[in-house]
Every structure is written in structure tokens, then in C-alpha cells.
Amino acid sequence: MSDRALLGDEAVALGAMHAGLSSAYGYPGTPSTEIMEFLLEAAKTGGDDVHQAHWSSNEKTAFEEALGASFCGRRVLITMKHVGLNVAADPFMNAALLDIKGGVVLAVADDPGMHSSQNEQDSRYFADFAMIPCLEPTSQQEAYDMTRSAFDLSEELSVPVMIRLVTRLSHSRAAIKSSEPRYQNKLNKADGRAGWTLLPARARRRYTELIGKQEKMIFLSEESTYNTMKTAVDSGRCELGVITTGLARNYFDENAGEISVSYNHLHIGQSPWPVRKIRTLMDSSDRLLILEEGMPFLERYIRGIGSDSMPIDGKLNGKVVRQGELDPDNIREALGLPARPALDFDPGALPMRPPQLCRGCPHEDSYNFIKEVVEHLEQSIVTSDIGCYALGVLPPLEVPETVVCMGASISMAKGAAEAGHPNVMAVIGDSTFYHSGLTGLVDCVADQAAVTVIIVDNSTVAMTGGQETMLASARLPGVIEGLGVEKSHIHVVDALKKVHNENVAILKKELAYDGPSVIITVRECVETLRKKINAAAGAAK
Amino acid sequence: MKYDIILCGVGGQGVLSVAAAIAAAGASEGLHVRQSEVHGMAQRGGAVMSHLRLSDDMIPGDLVPRGGADMILSVEPLEALRYTKYLKPDGICVSAAAAFENIPNYPALETVISRVESLPNSRLVNAGALAKDAGNRRAVNMVMVGAASTFLPLSQKTLESAITSLFSRKGDEIVKMNIKAFRSGRDS
């Protein structure tokens, strides 16, 4: 098959399609979004053997929808960012106990360096926690190849398999070679219920099975072509043993030509850890350097408690940068190599240019009326949530006081109101509301909490590039009324300067009400609008 | 042959299209290409930077090391200065001259310009005016591809066909305008 220049994310998508993918579900989240976007685009072509691809309300529903398709014997892919896996943790952990016949592959994209995230948690811990294999590509080609392998591995072991991506690979483009596509699995519902009904007695048996599979998983890691050992020419004892995982290999290779001591190099792309290979490396080296993209996960495993048999350098003793992304320069430093000759130039003091709301963004108008109300109150709390509107934290708006995780605005507001604080407001986007806000609002209704929820409805998932919100904007008031918020305390207003004073008045009135109220501020995202206009203009030509 | 480029500007200025055009041209000339992009929150009106690597041999990773860039190609002069640590001692900085002022503490433009000019190898381009002449202020990015093109190890022909396919779905007029912008940058 011919070469195609693909993002790491797109290579995963194509790998899944060529592995006979039947269904894909996910929730948008940087840096994972482009996997599903590629699959959605590809699904438009139609045809007999085309896959299903759908955005879901959140990562948990996505995972469960995929499990339903796997129960029918189909191959399924679930996509999300690292923190999304926290939301999907319940089905994810339990899926490891199921008797998987239709391959289940979870593509999860971590964000070391927090380019677009609220933490840099390392999903490999989750794979280990669930006791399933994890494949970690280092190039777009591997992203394609490993995704194909992951489906085979999932069906061979009857467990879900994780593909762990990171931002740099997800969002870097290179040409890949694809191979012959495979047909989809036929519809073939799981036989016998014992493997899919996790009642305690049956779950115990399934857990025994899962534990029993570990030996085979480790064996497959030992044999895996993704775990490669490069020994020094004389293949004797080396001064240095290097273990790389993930993108660390690329940055190591970038610098390896300049290493003056003899070294052996083990790269690990498939876990659980190939214990024998690691042992071989340790036995043939005087000291060890562990380079892994993410948290010091392998390093902790190897160090154990006081395993002082050999000197080990890594993130835990500060030889490798602990936080943020690896790059060719910090790996160079870890290898003890001098900095490359660079330009001797002082650019002077440069002001930062942080991300900010687009010009004309509707969120600005929403925050402006909230800000005016807040400025006239002695005490108030404004919680906020995950999305573009989190940028309202920065000057000049500086309105939200909390941004924690998807949906937390409403639930935290309830907690604050019930702690006795007056004038509590929660700011949440329309898509985030469907993701994790609904349940918090039900809690508010149940206890008649004095919370005013402001849903900033820009009718899109803006931060991730303008995916459609699950339900059309017009249905939002009905959903809220259905959850039990009294109709007289639901307001739909425009996010526009010209109705600023009216919006101020409504918010003041609702803050005086001792119960839950919702103000929906509506105006389409300017970026989504611009794209629509451009697309229409392109189509007209 | 190995040619590493740092591309930079402000989110919304079309840095990704600059990367896409040069990467596609490189690939069509049979080179290995690695191109790292910026998506998501980092993209919203903030400083954006992209790594682009061209080589006739395997490329180990997506990131250009510090002191490793043959070129900094920027659509904004302050952003060009932000990444000078990536430049090779004999590397060149090609930057648009006009400021994109969306921060309250943007330094005096003369200072920024004179700092760019004080680099050993630099080229400032009046890209705003050239883009306007070509028919669209937003084409600054393609003017800059043109200005960079005389230094790149790529032919004018492959760059122009890459630009053509990049904008083809937006219609003939947009393609023509971007080619015009490219040529005006190349001839500047």
C-alpha cells in the first residue's frame, strides 16, 4: 500500500480500520481528538464494510457502547485523553474481567507537559492496574502497526488492550506504509453468560482467569518485536545499560552517536514488562539509565525497595527531568553529553503570550455580566469547568475561581452553597454539561441547593476543534426542565453585549432565589461560525 | 541532507498551513518528513510553534534539538525571537515584520525588529503589504513560505503544487491568490 502522511492519531485510526474495526466511540479531548475525526470522515464514504464511528456523551458511555459491540463479537476502538480514562475507569477496569471475543482496543492519549490538560497522569498505570497489555508507539508507523497488533492481542488474550499515545506523537505527521486490510468480524454474540455477568461469584472466577493470563502476557512481551535489545558490538559487559520507553527512544537515538562509553540499549514498547530482557540488560551493565516518557513508572518497578545492586539513574534521582515532556536536549543532558553549539544570542526579555479567548468570543460577554454582578457582591463564588471558558481565569476577565475536572463546576457549587456560602455560581459549557454536568444538577434539584448554573452554550465542543454537541442547543432548556429545575428559574438569554444589563438583572434575581436556577447564555462559537461560512463559500465555488 | 525548521507565530496566523505546505513539498520530493503540530488549548491566540524536519535519511524523532535548526520561519517578529535558542550558529531567521499585538505588554516594535536584525543571519519580510497586494491579508503565511523558499532545499515547482493541493478545496481563486502570495514572498 502507498505511503500516506498521517498524524500519530490518524495512524491509529487507519490501523484500526485495517484491523477490521466495526465500531469506534470516544469523547473529544486533546490530544486524542483526531483519531475519531479521521474515523468519522472515513465512515462518510459508506460501503458494505464501513465501520461505525460516534462521539459519545462522555468517556464512560463511549467505553460501554464499545463493550456492547464487542459483546456481539465485533472489533471496537475507544478513544479519549488521559483524564478521560478517569471517567471511564469503571467500565475499563471491569472489562479486563470479561470474556472478550471481539477485540477491544483503548487508544488513550497522554499529555506530558500539559499542553492542553489539567494534569499529566500516565495511563500506563491504568493498564497495569487493570492487568492488561499496553503498547506504546514511538512513531506514526508504529502507531499504525501496534493498533493492528493490539486487536490480535486482545482477541488472543481475551482482554482489552491499551494503546498509549502522547501529545508529540498524536500531533506529529509522518509518512506511513499501510498493509492489507482485514475484514470485520461477523456478528457473533458471546456464547454463555458467565463471561459477561460480573456477579461476585462469577467475577471471582473471571479474576482468577485474569491472574492466570499474566504469565502469558509477560511471555508475549518477552517475545514481542516491539521490545528490542541492541547490544554493543563485542556483546560483552557494558559500562552503561539504557532502557527507553515511548518517545524517549527517539531522543536517545538523536544523541546516541555521540555517546563515548559502551552501552546496551533495551527499548520497551509492550508491557507487562519483559522481565527477563530487563534482567539480561541489568546483568550485563555496570550502571543503568532509565528514560521514559511520562511518570517514573518502570523506574519505580526496577528500583523496588532498596535494590542497591547497581547504580540506577532516572527521574527519581533527578538525573532525568521529572516533570513535563522529554526532548532531545534534556535526554542529552541525562546522557551527560555537552550542549550542542548554539547561537550566542540574547533575545532580551520577551513577554509571554498565553492562549486566550478568540476576538468576539461569546464567553467574554457571558463573563462580563457575571463579573459585573460579582463586583457588586460582598461575597460570592464562581466555579468553572473544562473548556475554552476556563481561559476566563486569565486577565482581563479573571472571573472563575475553580477549574478542576469535567462537571465539577456544578457539584462543587452545590458543596459550597451547602457549606453556607452565599451567591454561588457555576459556569459550564454545553458539551461539558452533557458530559458530566447533568448528574450534578440532579443533586442540586434533589436538595434544592441555592446554586445558579450558567451554561455558556456556544453549540459546539470548541476547545477540541468544533465537534457537534451531543444534543442540539434548542433541546437544552427541555433537558433542564426535565431534570426538575423549575421553569420560572430557567432562562435562555443571548451572550451579547447589547443585552448585558438584562443579563445582569436576571443573574441578580436568581442569586436571591433559595434554590437551583439555570441561565443558558446562547451564541455560537465564532470559530465554528467562521468554519461554516468558509465551507459554504468553498462549496459555492 | 538534513534540514530542520522551527515554525512559529500566534495561534490563528496559519502556522499549521506553513508547515503543511513545506512538509507536503518535502514528501513529494521523496524526503523523509516529520512535522509536529500544536492543537487544542495551546492554539487559542497564544504563542504557537511547530517543528518540521526534512531529511534524505531516517529521522529519529519529531523534535528539533536546541542549536539544531537550520531555519526559524516566523509569521511574527516577537515570536521569532522566542525560539532563537533552537537556531544553529549559521542558521537563518526568516520573519514577517509586522507585530501581532494581542497582549498588553508587547514591546516597542522597533526594539523587536532591531533584535531580529542583530541575528547573524536574518531576513525580515514586509509580508502584510505583500499579502494585501496578493488579494488577502490572511495570506501572510504563504508570503512567508515564499520568502523562505529560496533557502529551503526544495524546488519552487513542488512548493507551488503543495500550496495548490493545500487550498484546492477552497476553490480556484483562493489557490491563485495563495500562489501569488507565495511568489511575491519569493521575489521580495
Side-chain angles (χ1 to χ4, degrees):
Chain A
M1 303 279 279
S2 60
D3 282 15
R4 294 179 68 174
L6 296 177
L7 294 175
D9 277 353
E10 295 169 342
V12 167
L14 189 68
M17 283 165 58
H18 289 177
L21 177 76
S22 294
S23 304
Y25 298 93
Y27 185 80
T30 312
S32 71
T33 313
E34 293 78 6
I35 306 172
M36 188 63 72
E37 292 199 320
F38 189 91
L39 292 170
L40 285 163
E41 193 60 35
K44 280 186 194 163
T45 58
D48 291 343
D49 208 38
V50 79
H51 56 269
Q52 295 276 323
H54 301 281
W55 289 124
S56 306
S57 285
N58 64 37
E59 294 84 356
K60 180 178 187 289
T61 62
F63 206 107
E64 291 154 354
E65 283 151 12
L67 284 181
S70 170
F71 183 66
C72 300
R74 302 287 208 174
R75 288 190 159 189
V76 298
L77 179 74
I78 311 119
T79 74
M80 59 191 65
K81 68 184 294 176
H82 58 337
V83 287
L85 185 50
N86 302 333
V87 178
D90 200 358
F92 168 74
M93 290 300 296
N94 294 329
L97 299 185
L98 299 175
D99 188 17
I100 304 282
K101 293 285 188 283
V104 176
V105 174
L106 166 67
V108 57
D110 290 0
D111 189 15
M114 298 182 234
H115 293 273
S116 206
S117 304
Q118 61 272 39
N119 77 24
E120 53 178 46
Q121 68 186 57
D122 186 332
S123 296
R124 297 178 302 166
Y125 282 92
F126 257 124
D128 185 58
F129 193 18
M131 302 167 70
I132 60 163
C134 175
L135 299 174
E136 199 176 357
T138 62
S139 66
Q140 293 75 2
Q141 184 67 51
E142 266 194 351
Y144 174 87
D145 294 336
M146 282 183 167
T147 304
R148 295 199 65 157
S149 307
F151 281 100
D152 295 338
L153 205 53
S154 172
E155 290 179 1
E156 183 180 352
L157 292 161
S158 289
V159 293
V161 172
M162 178 188 287
I163 300 279
R164 185 225 185 195
L165 299 158
V166 293
T167 307
R168 280 298 161 186
L169 181 60
S170 286
H171 290 168
S172 293
R173 207 177 280 282
I176 66 143
K177 282 190 167 41
S178 56
S179 41
E180 198 57 39
R182 172 193 180 278
Y183 285 107
Q184 292 186 23
N185 290 354
K186 291 203 165 57
L187 202 62
N188 182 17
K189 193 178 86 171
D191 48 355
R193 292 177 190 181
W196 284 77
T197 45
L198 297 177
L199 303 177
R202 290 178 179 183
R204 274 180 224 119
R205 283 200 292 277
R206 297 300 312 162
Y207 187 41
T208 309
E209 284 232 9
L210 179 62
I211 292 168
K213 290 175 192 170
Q214 298 303 302
E215 198 179 332
K216 185 170 182 192
M217 285 184 203
I218 294 169
F219 173 78
L220 291 173
S221 286
E222 300 284 5
E223 300 294 307
S224 172
T225 52
Y226 300 127
N227 297 335
T228 52
M229 178 86 92
K230 274 192 213 159
T231 47
V233 188
D234 55 8
S235 75
R237 197 168 175 77
C238 281
E239 188 179 325
L240 177 64
V242 179
I243 304 180
T244 56
T245 71
L247 297 195
R249 172 165 75 182
N250 301 351
Y251 310 135
F252 175 75
D253 286 348
E254 184 91 37
N255 291 297
E258 294 173 58
I259 299 172
S260 54
V261 299
S262 64
Y263 66 88
N264 293 321
H265 174 203
L266 170 63
H267 176 76
I268 303 176
Q270 179 173 341
S271 61
W273 306 124
V275 182
R276 187 168 46 78
K277 277 188 171 154
I278 294 171
R279 177 57 63 196
T280 305
L281 182 84
M282 291 174 79
D283 288 347
S284 61
S285 314
D286 294 336
R287 64 186 170 92
L288 197 61
L289 175 65
I290 304 169
L291 303 170
E292 48 188 329
E293 182 77 289
M295 292 174 161
F297 177 46
L298 172 63
E299 188 181 338
R300 276 177 66 187
Y301 178 89
I302 291 180
R303 281 184 193 274
I305 294 176
S307 69
D308 294 330
S309 54
M310 71 188 297
I312 298 173
D313 286 333
K315 296 192 171 197
L316 291 172
N317 71 343
K319 286 286 173 154
V320 182
V321 59
R322 176 77 191 252
Q323 199 182 334
E325 279 184 299
L326 298 179
D327 63 35
D329 302 303
N330 55 35
I331 292 295
R332 194 176 171 82
E333 208 179 318
L335 288 165
L337 295 170
R340 278 188 183 73
L343 199 62
D344 181 22
F345 179 77
D346 175 17
L350 303 173
M352 297 295 284
R353 198 185 311 244
Q356 50 188 269
L357 293 174
C358 304
R359 280 175 204 178
C361 176
H363 297 329
E364 193 178 335
D365 292 328
S366 296
Y367 275 131
N368 276 332
F369 82 77
I370 300 168
K371 194 178 169 98
E372 180 169 333
V373 172
V374 166
E375 278 170 355
H376 289 90
L377 291 169
E378 212 163 285
Q379 288 181 297
S380 67
I381 286 178
V382 181
T383 62
S384 190
D385 225 296
I386 308 295
C388 283
Y389 47 94
L391 294 171
V393 165
L394 304 173
L397 292 166
E398 300 181 279
V399 177
E401 296 167 79
T402 71
V403 174
V404 180
C405 64
M406 295 287 280
S409 58
I410 299 180
S411 348
M412 284 181 68
K414 178 179 190 261
E418 288 172 346
H421 205 286
N423 302 317
V424 183
M425 291 154 268
V427 178
I428 186 168
D430 48 327
S431 185
T432 307
F433 178 71
Y434 284 120
H435 179 288
S436 291
L438 291 160
T439 43
L441 189 57
V442 169
D443 290 357
C444 291
V445 170
D447 292 325
Q448 284 299 296
V451 167
T452 300
V453 177
I454 297 138
I455 303 180
V456 287
D457 177 8
N458 59 0
S459 316
T460 190
V461 193
M463 184 63 87
T464 50
Q467 294 74 29
E468 273 183 38
T469 305
M470 290 309 288
L471 295 178
S473 204
R475 297 176 69 172
L476 199 45
V479 169
I480 290 158
E481 199 184 336
L483 292 179
V485 178
E486 275 185 46
K487 200 169 182 176
S488 59
H489 293 286
I490 302 170
H491 306 267
V492 181
V493 306
D494 290 328
L496 286 171
K497 272 190 195 67
K498 65 175 186 187
V499 288
H500 175 86
N501 292 338
E502 289 87 332
N503 291 347
V504 166
I506 290 169
L507 179 56
K508 278 185 180 166
K509 190 185 104 194
E510 288 306 338
L511 286 175
Y513 168 60
D514 188 25
S517 55
V518 176
I519 302 171
I520 308 170
T521 68
V522 186
R523 181 153 68 85
E524 187 168 27
C525 165
V526 287
E527 189 63 17
T528 310
L529 188 64
R530 189 183 65 79
K531 276 187 197 158
K532 277 188 193 166
I533 291 168
N534 283 353
K541 278 166 189 159
Chain B
M1 194 282 299
K2 186 168 88 67
Y3 202 88
D4 285 346
I5 311 169
I6 295 290
L7 303 157
C8 49
V10 181
Q13 281 195 304
V15 177
L16 273 191
S17 301
V18 173
I22 300 174
S28 74
E29 292 197 18
L31 297 175
H32 292 265
V33 178
R34 297 289 280 260
Q35 177 208 336
S36 159
E37 306 180 353
V38 181
H39 299 217
M41 182 185 257
Q43 202 181 3
R44 299 262 168 267
V48 295
M49 183 253 241
S50 168
H51 300 246
L52 179 58
R53 314 189 79 182
L54 307 169
S55 174
D56 50 18
D57 203 356
M58 282 291 290
I59 304 168
D62 301 292
L63 299 182
V64 176
R66 286 202 285 271
D70 298 279
M71 175 187 284
I72 288 176
L73 175 54
S74 181
V75 285
E76 210 278 346
L78 177 68
E79 296 310 314
L81 290 172
R82 207 181 289 284
Y83 306 105
T84 48
K85 62 176 185 281
Y86 284 94
L87 207 55
K88 274 184 186 166
D90 60 348
I92 184 161
C93 171
V94 181
S95 176
F100 188 99
E101 289 192 45
N102 65 343
I103 44 173
N105 52 343
Y106 196 97
L109 183 58
E110 312 86 74
T111 322
V112 174
I113 293 295
S114 72
R115 277 189 208 148
V116 174
E117 282 174 335
S118 72
L119 282 160
N121 291 309
S122 71
R123 175 130 196 271
L124 279 156
V125 185
N126 237 330
L130 293 173
K132 203 176 154 202
D133 289 349
N136 189 339
R137 264 175 245 260
R138 288 181 65 89
V140 164
N141 56 351
M142 289 305 123
V143 173
M144 293 313 298
V145 176
S149 67
T150 53
F151 303 99
L152 296 173
L154 300 168
S155 77
Q156 177 173 2
K157 193 164 157 255
T158 53
L159 280 163
E160 289 192 1
S161 40
I163 293 169
T164 303
S165 48
L166 186 64
F167 292 101
S168 61
R169 66 183 174 85
K170 294 188 176 172
D172 279 349
E173 265 177 56
I174 303 282
V175 170
K176 272 186 205 153
M177 188 270 294
N178 277 289
I179 294 288
K180 197 174 168 195
F182 168 83
R183 287 186 184 163
S184 70
R186 189 173 169 92
D187 297 338
S188 67

